[in-house]
Amino acid sequence: MDFFFPGKSLDDNFVFNPIVGPISSLTIEDLEITFVIEKALLYGASVWGGALTKQQVDRLHSIQRIFLLKFTRAYRTTSTNVLNSLTGIPPPLHVVAKTEFIKFQIWAGHANLYTDILGNIQLDNNISIKNIPSSSKFVILNENISKTDFEVYTDGSRIEDETGFAVCILQENNNIENHLYKLKSHNSVFQAELAAMHCAANWAASKNVSINIHTDSLSSIAAIKSASARSSFVNNMKQDLVKIKHLVDLSWVKGIQGNELADQQAKLATTTGVDTIIPAPRSYVKRILNKLMIKEWNDYWRQYNSTS
């Protein structure tokens, strides 16, 4: 479970009721109970969490307070918000409910309503399994077949907030071409690894040559082989691979010379690669909404009545 703590600035002047006596540490059992209770109370929050009245907010607040007092054994005069922070229990339930509502709206195709939160960024979306052609669900590529025209090594890299990938093309052990691409800060290494493999396959198709793609990313290979992958980004790649699978072989490698070359070039791509755009992953939305939740909690913290 993720835990969030509201930050404090030098301008914050909070008035706390004194807590006399020790605050008990939460046990694993307490945390498990908290998790179950939170899930039960927030059931369906993706539907109702966006239009809470003050009465409903206060009701959620009071329910959470009961368990906070029970877990901490603090005095009943202790503020709920103080207990919330001291225990590390996730944010007030109405804040979590609002976040769940926004997340659902985004993935339901209404991201355009939240550009103030997400910015003008194209998001990867999930597609229904039943809408994926059978030929694209099961992509089986050959592994390390000899007598291909080129050996291609791919890799993705992320250094701080910079992401990129590289495609290194070898012929008879000679490095004849390197293609370096820089992604946006919201893209993940997993996406970079897949994009590198996709780029290599497209290069082979454009030249009408056969290649062995060598990658050190087992997760990318698993995504290609998985029949349950729902990501639009992943499935678009799989559809392209199906069309040219007679030209492309795939293998996992680690620690050989070509792999080391691709790793070096991928690191270089994070700063000098050609800018390219691919959809932001679901993990980006999760990060943004976590930040929003902390901000909402901070705002609520600054406005609360110390006796509540």
Side-chain angles (χ1 to χ4, degrees):
M1 182 187 300
D2 293 325
F3 299 102
F4 305 93
F5 295 86
K8 300 179 183 178
S9 70
L10 296 177
D11 297 328
D12 292 334
N13 294 310
F14 300 132
V15 179
F16 296 108
N17 286 326
I19 302 173
V20 181
I23 296 293
S24 301
S25 299
L26 267 67
T27 65
I28 296 298
E29 290 76 13
D30 289 338
L31 294 176
E32 290 175 346
I33 293 171
T34 302
F35 179 78
V36 172
I37 293 170
E38 179 188 339
K39 289 298 181 183
L41 291 173
L42 294 177
Y43 181 77
S46 56
V47 176
W48 53 259
L52 291 175
T53 64
K54 184 180 184 303
Q55 183 179 9
Q56 291 168 328
V57 169
D58 291 342
R59 179 59 176 162
L60 287 173
H61 202 59
S62 63
I63 293 173
Q64 192 174 35
R65 176 179 176 79
I66 293 171
F67 294 97
L68 289 172
L69 286 171
K70 178 178 175 59
F71 293 151
T72 60
R73 298 177 178 84
Y75 289 126
R76 293 185 178 276
T77 54
T78 306
S79 163
T80 306
N81 286 283
V82 172
L83 292 173
N84 211 242
S85 296
L86 289 175
T87 57
I89 298 295
L93 293 178
H94 72 279
V95 175
V96 181
K98 180 180 178 181
T99 305
E100 288 296 314
F101 174 80
I102 294 175
K103 180 168 66 175
F104 176 78
Q105 291 297 309
I106 290 172
W107 293 126
H110 304 299
N112 59 308
L113 300 177
Y114 299 97
T115 53
D116 57 324
I117 298 173
L118 298 173
N120 293 312
I121 294 176
Q122 181 185 0
L123 298 176
D124 186 18
N125 62 291
N126 282 355
I127 57 180
S128 175
I129 295 292
K130 65 181 181 181
N131 293 332
I132 303 174
S134 298
S135 59
S136 299
K137 284 183 182 179
F138 303 95
V139 179
I140 301 176
L141 299 177
N142 296 313
E143 295 188 0
N144 203 24
I145 302 300
S146 59
K147 297 182 180 179
T148 54
D149 298 318
F150 298 92
E151 303 297 320
V152 180
Y153 293 84
T154 65
D155 201 7
S157 181
R158 184 176 179 87
I159 302 176
E160 295 181 350
D161 287 333
E162 303 295 340
T163 310
F165 66 87
V167 177
C168 301
I169 302 168
L170 281 70
Q171 186 175 40
E172 297 180 355
N173 293 323
N174 294 316
N175 181 204
I176 61 172
E177 287 185 39
N178 292 325
H179 300 270
L180 279 62
Y181 294 92
K182 180 180 179 181
L183 300 177
K184 301 300 182 182
S185 60
H186 53 253
N187 291 122
S188 64
V189 174
F190 172 70
Q191 286 189 308
E193 297 275 8
L194 280 172
M197 296 165 65
H198 196 183
C199 178
N202 286 338
W203 180 86
S206 68
K207 303 290 185 180
N208 195 29
V209 294
S210 59
I211 63 172
N212 273 325
I213 297 179
H214 303 280
T215 177
D216 63 358
S217 174
L218 286 173
S219 59
S220 297
I221 295 176
I224 292 172
K225 292 182 177 180
S226 173
S228 59
R230 298 178 58 200
S231 162
S232 179
F233 171 69
V234 173
N235 279 284
N236 287 340
M237 175 187 177
K238 290 172 67 174
Q239 289 176 17
D240 287 345
L241 286 176
V242 167
K243 298 174 185 176
I244 58 171
K245 62 181 181 180
H246 61 288
L247 296 176
V248 178
D249 302 327
L250 179 64
S251 65
W252 178 80
V253 295
K254 189 73 175 177
I256 65 175
Q257 184 176 0
N259 177 242
E260 295 298 328
L261 172 65
D263 180 65
Q264 294 171 4
Q265 293 298 309
K267 288 182 171 63
L268 188 61
T270 62
T271 55
T272 63
V274 177
D275 287 331
T276 189
I277 297 175
I278 61 176
R282 296 178 74 90
S283 58
Y284 166 74
V285 175
K286 182 178 180 179
R287 289 197 304 271
I288 291 297
L289 292 183
N290 279 347
K291 291 179 181 178
L292 174 66
M293 186 157 51
I294 294 173
K295 179 182 181 301
E296 293 274 342
W297 190 7
N298 270 304
D299 293 343
Y300 184 67
W301 174 281
R302 293 187 177 95
Q303 296 170 9
Y304 85 94
N305 184 325
S306 63
T307 60
S308 64

